[in-house]
Amino acid sequence: MAKVYIDPLTRIEGHLSIEMDVQNGKVVDAKCRGDMFRGYETILQGRNPVDANQIVMRICGVCPVSHGEASSRCLDDAFKIKPTKNGRILRNLILGANTVQSHILHFYHLAALDFVDITAILQYKGSVSSLLKLKDWVKNDIEVKKGRPDEITSAGPFLPRYEGNDFYIKDVDTNISAIAGYVQALDIRQKAHQMVALFGGRAPHPIALVPGGVTTVPTSGKIKEFKKLLKEVDKFVNETYVPHVIAVAKAYPDYFKLGQYTKFMSYGVYDKDEDRKTFMFEQGIFDGKLEKFDSKKIREQVKYARYRSGSNLHPLKGETIADPNKGGAYTWVKAPRYDDRPMEVGALARMVIAYNSGNELVKKELDGVLKIFNSELPVVLSALGRHASRAIEAKMISAEMKKWLDELEVGKNPRNPYSIPDSSEGEGLVEAARGGLGHWIDIKKGKIANYQAVVPTTWFCSPKDDRDVKGPVEQALIGTPISDNLNPIEAARIVRSFDPCLACAIHVVEGDREIGKFRVC
């Protein structure tokens, strides 16, 4: 048996490492390690509750919109208010634009390079920069040794990489098309950020998200500009993103069998009413059968996490007390559980729950993917299923945003007023791009007494819990074939398919490591 480490796992947000036991070419055990300490809950204590809106968005540069949404909902609940119709729709649009951007980011700039062969550029006979409209920075970043045009020595963000005989797509045209998509995706993501800023005030940290709705009053000009940008984003999603995901899936069908997990949770997202009773993507639990979701069943356990906090606490009673030298602990990520079960959250969870809830739009899209591969639903519960689910969701959200824009009432109030209670509790649940995100607040004497955030990555990158049950990523890795212990790309593909965001789960670097020295003048 061999110990195989990926430390750090690159092309994710934050610091994550994976430890695996590999026997006879397969993973037989795995540990998922978050290598930093989380401390935002401590920062929030004693502050004005409204400060939480802006502070929590700094938890992560990739997920600020979803944290702003969750915090706004949390304060809505604590202040006993609801958003106006415009406020609800604007929140949907801001979150929708950010989610589509995040899915595009994940596929092209984080995960696709596990499959795409950058060296295909050297095999292509045409003019790369003109024919494929690749940006000059890609062309100029690729350098070859003098007299050795067949050997790339530098390729900007693409190299170094895992090296193996069968690690990457063989077809040159597919590789070239995907590389072009990588570059085009940068421009499309910028447009999606502009969409967020139009109604959110700015991106990446939208200042317009507040208790009671949004501060931006919709105007015909803003709606027109949003529609213009959405048209380009929607075109890219349907004509480039979705086809590239299908191309990768066809090239790597084995990954419909790898990285499987079967317990899913969704908080529900994109409200259809101001009371949060109906959603575009349904709320629920799926563990062999559909169950009704109840947030009271959420608990955080810390047996193997570096905290001396009380274990098995609901987030409203949660504690964040660091214990870096705790015996037996191997991560800074807690182990959240729903009714004592580790749950996968994210686009795949949303698809599975919506599909089993009878959502006709999701059923149509998911059945279309299954038809392409002549497969049945269980194959979706896999690494490739996660990528396919994000592409389907991006397509559906882009289409739905067109309808939401038409429902906005120009010039009408986008928020309701509020007053800060002397004592109250609140819960804010939303679906970030990566999955279920919950914020909980306890207000005493008009100030924050306790604030807890349980983020998507905490769910799927969790360690073993108090009963020694592994987290979803740890379980999904078991059985993964590893062809080369020094180049474990297969495991990296599985972990990246979850789209980890460790910056959300953990924040402050451990004190026993020197990260760098700086001279400030």
Side-chain angles (χ1 to χ4, degrees), residues 325-432:
N325 300 313
K326 180 178 176 181
Y330 59 89
T331 179
W332 283 105
V333 179
K334 295 180 183 179
R337 295 295 184 261
Y338 180 87
D339 198 18
D340 268 339
R341 290 170 287 178
M343 309 304 291
E344 176 173 344
V345 296
L348 176 57
R350 292 190 286 270
M351 290 293 114
V352 170
I353 290 165
Y355 187 96
N356 285 279
S357 297
N359 187 312
E360 290 300 325
L361 290 175
V362 169
K363 185 171 174 55
K364 178 183 175 183
E365 293 293 341
L366 207 50
D367 282 345
V369 171
L370 294 171
K371 187 176 180 180
I372 291 173
F373 295 98
N374 192 28
S375 299
E376 297 181 352
L377 187 61
V379 305
V380 176
L381 315 181
S382 61
L384 279 179
R386 294 180 189 99
H387 292 297
S389 295
R390 290 187 189 93
I392 291 170
E393 188 171 77
K395 178 181 177 181
M396 292 182 65
I397 294 171
S398 294
E400 203 67 21
M401 283 194 287
K402 299 172 189 175
K403 302 175 186 177
W404 295 335
L405 287 167
D406 291 336
E407 294 174 10
L408 282 173
E409 297 175 347
V410 174
K412 292 293 182 68
N413 185 17
R415 65 187 178 97
N416 278 320
Y418 62 83
S419 58
I420 299 173
D422 184 65
S423 179
S424 187
E425 293 179 343
E427 173 182 87
L429 304 179
V430 73
E431 284 288 315

Side-chain angles (χ1 to χ4, degrees), residues 41-343:
E41 292 88 347
T42 304
I43 294 171
L44 287 161
Q45 290 176 4
R47 292 181 176 270
N48 186 317
V50 180
D51 289 351
N53 264 105
Q54 292 303 309
I55 292 173
V56 298
M57 280 193 273
R58 273 69 185 174
I59 286 175
C60 178
V62 173
C63 313
V65 172
S66 49
H67 281 290
E69 292 262 356
S71 180
S72 297
R73 294 175 188 275
C74 186
L75 295 177
D76 287 350
D77 190 38
F79 297 171
K80 307 302 184 235
I81 57 173
K82 299 175 183 178
T84 62
K85 177 184 176 182
N86 269 356
R88 169 181 61 83
I89 297 169
L90 288 168
R91 283 181 178 179
N92 282 351
L93 287 164
I94 293 167
L95 182 63
N98 179 254
T99 297
V100 172
Q101 178 277 141
S102 183
H103 288 345
I104 292 170
L105 159 67
H106 176 255
F107 180 73
Y108 283 100
H109 302 137
L110 303 179
L113 297 177
D114 287 336
F115 305 96
V116 173
D117 186 2
I118 180 63
T119 65
I121 289 175
L122 295 179
Q123 303 170 48
Y124 191 72
K125 304 302 181 184
S127 171
V128 172
S129 59
S130 60
L131 182 62
L132 297 170
K133 300 179 181 178
L134 292 176
K135 295 292 186 183
D136 286 342
W137 68 265
V138 171
K139 183 178 63 176
N140 294 337
D141 246 14
I142 296 172
E143 302 171 0
V144 297
K145 285 184 180 178
K146 211 167 188 179
R148 293 286 300 280
D150 60 333
E151 187 174 346
I152 291 181
T153 58
S154 173
F158 304 115
L159 296 179
R161 62 176 186 171
Y162 288 117
E163 297 293 346
N165 292 330
D166 297 307
F167 282 0
Y168 302 101
I169 292 172
K170 298 295 186 184
D171 183 71
V172 174
D173 289 335
T174 300
N175 282 310
I176 294 297
S177 176
I179 295 166
Y182 178 106
V183 178
Q184 188 183 358
L186 294 169
D187 290 332
I188 296 300
R189 285 179 52 217
Q190 183 185 38
K191 289 177 170 59
H193 280 309
Q194 288 176 301
M195 291 159 65
V196 170
L198 272 169
F199 293 135
R202 69 182 179 196
H205 302 103
I207 55 176
L209 293 171
V210 295
V214 174
T215 60
T216 306
V217 177
T219 64
S220 56
K222 287 182 181 294
I223 293 171
K224 183 179 179 181
E225 182 63 20
F226 196 103
K227 284 183 176 179
K228 178 184 174 182
L229 294 165
L230 177 57
K231 184 177 180 180
E232 295 183 69
V233 172
D234 182 65
K235 178 181 170 69
F236 177 83
V237 167
N238 283 276
E239 298 181 9
T240 304
Y241 178 24
V242 172
H244 280 153
V245 171
I246 292 172
V248 166
K250 286 182 174 179
Y252 291 87
D254 286 351
Y255 282 83
F256 274 125
K257 301 175 183 177
L258 298 175
Q260 293 188 343
Y261 194 72
T262 58
K263 294 177 174 62
F264 301 100
M265 180 178 72
S266 171
Y267 294 154
V269 69
Y270 305 117
D271 303 350
K272 290 185 177 181
D273 62 89
E274 283 72 67
D275 292 323
R276 289 208 87 220
K277 291 182 178 178
T278 56
F279 309 88
M280 177 184 172
F281 296 115
E282 283 80 359
Q283 187 179 69
I285 300 294
F286 187 82
D287 184 5
K289 64 179 181 179
L290 193 66
E291 303 173 27
K292 186 177 179 180
F293 170 77
D294 181 359
S295 66
K296 293 183 179 65
K297 294 183 178 181
I298 295 173
R299 296 288 186 275
E300 287 191 289
Q301 301 179 12
V302 297
K303 181 178 179 180
Y304 293 95
R306 295 186 180 113
Y307 299 95
R308 62 176 182 271
S309 313
S311 200
N312 209 38
L313 300 176
H314 185 274
L316 268 175
K317 305 299 180 183
E319 299 175 338
T320 306
I321 306 171
D323 187 356
N325 300 313
K326 180 178 176 181
Y330 59 89
T331 179
W332 283 105
V333 179
K334 295 180 183 179
R337 295 295 184 261
Y338 180 87
D339 198 18
D340 268 339
R341 290 170 287 178
M343 309 304 291

Side-chain angles (χ1 to χ4, degrees), residues 9-54:
L9 180 75
T10 57
R11 281 187 276 114
I12 64 164
E13 176 61 32
H15 298 261
L16 175 70
S17 61
I18 303 295
E19 176 187 330
M20 296 170 287
D21 290 335
V22 177
Q23 188 172 29
N24 298 325
K26 286 190 176 181
V27 177
V28 295
D29 195 14
K31 287 182 178 178
C32 192
R33 303 179 185 276
D35 295 325
M36 303 169 74
F37 165 63
R38 179 165 205 227
Y40 265 77
E41 292 88 347
T42 304
I43 294 171
L44 287 161
Q45 290 176 4
R47 292 181 176 270
N48 186 317
V50 180
D51 289 351
N53 264 105
Q54 292 303 309

